[in-house]
Amino acid sequence: MDWDHVQNLYPHVVLRPLFARLLSAPDLIFYQIVHERMGDNAYPSQRPWVVQSETLRRLSQELAVFTDSEDQLLSSRARHCVTSLLVMDIYCQTAILRALSTTRYAKTPGAGKTKDELFFHPQAVLRLRVQRGEAFSSVGHRPIIAGRTANGELAYIAQAFFRGSCNPRNCAVTEGMKPESLRLEVRDKGTLHRRMRNPDSFVVYVLRYEPDAYAWTQDWYGFGVAGLDPTGPFAWRAVK
């Protein structure tokens, strides 16, 4: 569908919020899934088709990313699309539930570098909480590596929390870091206003089990593919 043409046909200002929803990234992903279910025009049928598993997995993962978006429109549209997939058929239901049960982190690439991503299931990790006045220590734990700082120090995946109306922020912390020494840009919920703040606490993701205890999950996670900065079974891999 030519959306530019449709918007030109119906330019009334009242319709703009509707077009914003229809053209949001989660909705466009959802339309792709619906289109795949309609099948090939060469084989017309009144009954929907089963979407190829790899295509459905990829699109479901792309959609799930938006459910935690700081953009209120994107997160609300993503949740609406997820609700629709849950009642569409058992294949769509299974794919979106798997996508939602997997936590995804992405590294922003520098100039000339590729983007990396890491996935892990929430039940495969624990969260180590660090409050104000406390310093993070990895002793006795296996925190999931985020990468290295400019001076070569290991950094670990964390999530920072703030009092008031600010959303949590994914971040990376190093050994000995305190919440009051961490400075992050945040946005107030429901607004576009951004500011720098120190979190009141943060959590660091650590392995729940010893690394060799995850061997049975290799088929689920697709382990065995070489990656960077591994922590047990989890490693960063370049986005294809």
Side-chain angles (χ1 to χ4, degrees):
M1 181 179 292
D2 187 342
W3 285 107
D4 289 335
H5 178 63
V6 173
Q7 293 181 86
N8 290 331
L9 285 176
Y10 304 99
H12 199 285
V13 66
V14 174
L15 296 175
R16 289 177 184 174
L18 173 61
F19 286 128
R21 287 169 171 79
L22 294 176
L23 294 174
S24 72
D27 285 280
L28 294 177
I29 295 171
F30 179 74
Y31 299 152
Q32 291 183 61
I33 295 175
V34 173
H35 177 74
E36 290 289 334
R37 291 182 82 243
M38 299 306 294
D40 193 327
N41 291 333
Y43 300 94
S45 174
Q46 294 181 347
R47 297 180 180 180
W49 293 64
V50 175
V51 182
Q52 290 288 336
S53 59
E54 178 58 28
T55 300
L56 186 56
R57 182 196 66 80
R58 174 178 56 80
L59 292 173
S60 295
Q61 287 184 344
E62 290 178 7
L63 177 59
V65 169
F66 291 101
T67 58
D68 293 325
S69 172
E70 293 184 0
D71 187 304
Q72 193 171 17
L73 172 63
L74 292 180
S75 62
S76 64
R77 294 309 302 164
R79 289 174 181 138
H80 173 78
C81 294
V82 165
T83 301
S84 299
L85 287 177
L86 288 174
V87 297
M88 188 168 288
D89 59 49
I90 190 173
Y91 304 103
C92 292
Q93 181 188 76
T94 300
I96 194 60
L97 287 176
R98 284 185 173 180
L100 290 171
S101 68
T102 304
T103 302
R104 173 182 180 274
Y105 286 87
K107 290 183 180 179
T108 302
K113 295 183 179 180
T114 59
K115 185 177 181 180
D116 296 331
E117 63 183 7
L118 176 145
F119 295 90
F120 61 81
H121 194 286
Q123 294 183 356
V125 299
L126 296 172
R127 300 196 303 172
L128 177 62
R129 186 179 183 186
V130 180
Q131 303 184 74
R132 288 209 171 196
E134 300 176 342
F136 166 64
S137 172
S138 62
V139 176
H141 303 92
R142 293 181 181 271
I144 297 181
I145 297 173
R148 293 182 179 272
T149 64
N151 61 4
E153 185 179 5
L154 280 173
Y156 306 99
I157 292 178
Q159 187 174 37
F161 296 89
F162 306 83
R163 288 182 183 175
S165 59
C166 293
N167 292 299
R169 278 291 309 274
N170 293 330
C171 60
V173 300
T174 55
E175 193 76 24
M177 183 169 285
K178 300 179 179 180
E180 52 265 41
S181 63
L182 187 60
R183 192 79 171 161
L184 297 170
E185 183 183 55
V186 296
R187 191 181 72 182
D188 294 330
K189 293 181 179 177
T191 74
L192 297 177
H193 176 64
R194 295 180 178 274
R195 52 180 169 151
M196 301 299 294
R197 285 191 59 182
N198 300 103
D200 293 279
S201 65
F202 61 75
V203 296
V204 181
Y205 291 95
V206 301
L207 295 184
R208 179 186 289 266
Y209 311 107
E210 287 298 314
D212 56 4
Y214 293 87
W216 65 274
T217 63
Q218 288 193 5
D219 290 339
W220 175 275
Y221 287 105
F223 298 152
V225 179
L228 301 174
D229 298 323
T231 307
F234 307 110
W236 293 90
R237 298 184 179 96
V239 177
K240 295 181 180 180

